[in-house]
Amino acid sequence: MMEIDPVPNGNANAETDGTTATSAAIAPPPARSSRLSQLTESLKLEHQLLRVPFEHYKKMIRAKHRAFEKEVSSVVSGVGDLTDSDWSKDDTVLHLTSLVSRLQGLKRKLEEGNNAENLQAQRCRARIDHLDSADAENFSEWNNTKLKRILVDYMLRMSYFDTATKLTESSNIQDLVDIDIFQEAKKVIDALENKEVAPALAWCADNKSRLKKSKSKFEFQLRLQEFIELVRADSADSYKHAIQYARKYLAPWGSTHMKELQHVVATLAFRSNTECIKYKSLFEPKQWDFLVLQFKQEFCKLYGMTLEPLLNIYLQAGLSALKTPFCYEEDCTKEDPLSQESFRNLALPLPYSKQHHSKLVCYISRELMDTENPPQVLPNGYVYSTKALKEMAEKNGGKITCPRTGYVCNYSDLVKAFIS
């Protein structure tokens, strides 16, 4: 913590990096080295920008590989059938024609897959070029593009697709955002909100290996919910179907999730109208909300996205960097964003900024006040740097005018402040 002595009325209006107080000063425009440092730190947060199209690219390659293996295996098997059986000439020609048609269909699918892969490869290239183009000269423009990307990311997560699309097109950043990925997710989310699990189960099947690798329980939770819906129907046929469903789809999970499995299967005895809280909660609508939330988390993990929108992360980081105990005091300077009640409420759950050192910046010259350029206190309590006040006195015949209050005094009336 920093102290300034002496100060006539306690109004030491000099700016620190967050541990004391003022309306005093705005830091000087960053130098080239400072901008390069900011740029380097900014690039460290761009993991998601490159990871998403790369993961989508890998997913397409895997899907194309599976389709190719399946079709080729089927065609080879079909040719083997011809050699092992006594087919007529016409039947053989018909069968071979069918196999050729399948191969032609496979060729079309592979070409479509190649086009989709090229699109993702183009996005990867565009994003690498975008990051590579950042330098100190165009830092402001590059940051403006980054802000638009962050806003689009937030809109897509909140399902504002039309607005996100318009901002993307007007800013020409189509290759830097992931509208198609989020549209894929929205189909599953809409279905779950309508109490349908089929699209979510299809998504799990498409990403089975990745979900298994991450030890995801999402598919199991979907199966449990389908079982619960069968029990909810409350009829002899529905109970029969529920038992058959449990044997087919839930039993394979018994080795790893037996406790949860037993809990849910017990609803066959307790029924949907039970008053037992332990089982009644399984029939509540909030279970579908839980599935939506779980899908969003699995979706983000699958593509290497942050679980929180980027906008939230940057806002929290910024507010936390500004937050100090002084921000909540009555005499907090109005130039501090956290002097506003709305910002204070947003920053309330966030940790205080970790400040190792404090510094004073002169309101007039925007230069650092230290032992080489010590602070001077005016009789009205405002603090400015010695260098700035000397220059002002030389130009005005030894007179000092406070730039914030208009107070006029002699240079000899100033009192030196000491930083400790």
Side-chain angles (χ1 to χ4, degrees), residues 347-368:
L348 199 58
L350 301 175
Y352 286 110
S353 174
K354 186 177 181 181
Q355 304 292 347
H356 296 287
H357 303 285
S358 293
K359 58 188 176 185
L360 290 171
V361 179
C362 178
Y363 179 86
I364 300 173
S365 65
R366 309 298 196 259
E367 294 181 2
L368 188 66

Side-chain angles (χ1 to χ4, degrees), residues 61-75 103 106-107 109-110:
I61 292 175
R62 288 194 297 268
K64 188 174 73 171
H65 182 69
R66 286 196 300 268
F68 175 80
E69 285 190 332
K70 181 180 179 181
E71 286 297 317
V72 170
S73 176
S74 179
V75 169
L103 288 174
L106 175 61
K107 181 182 177 182
K109 289 180 181 178
L110 292 177

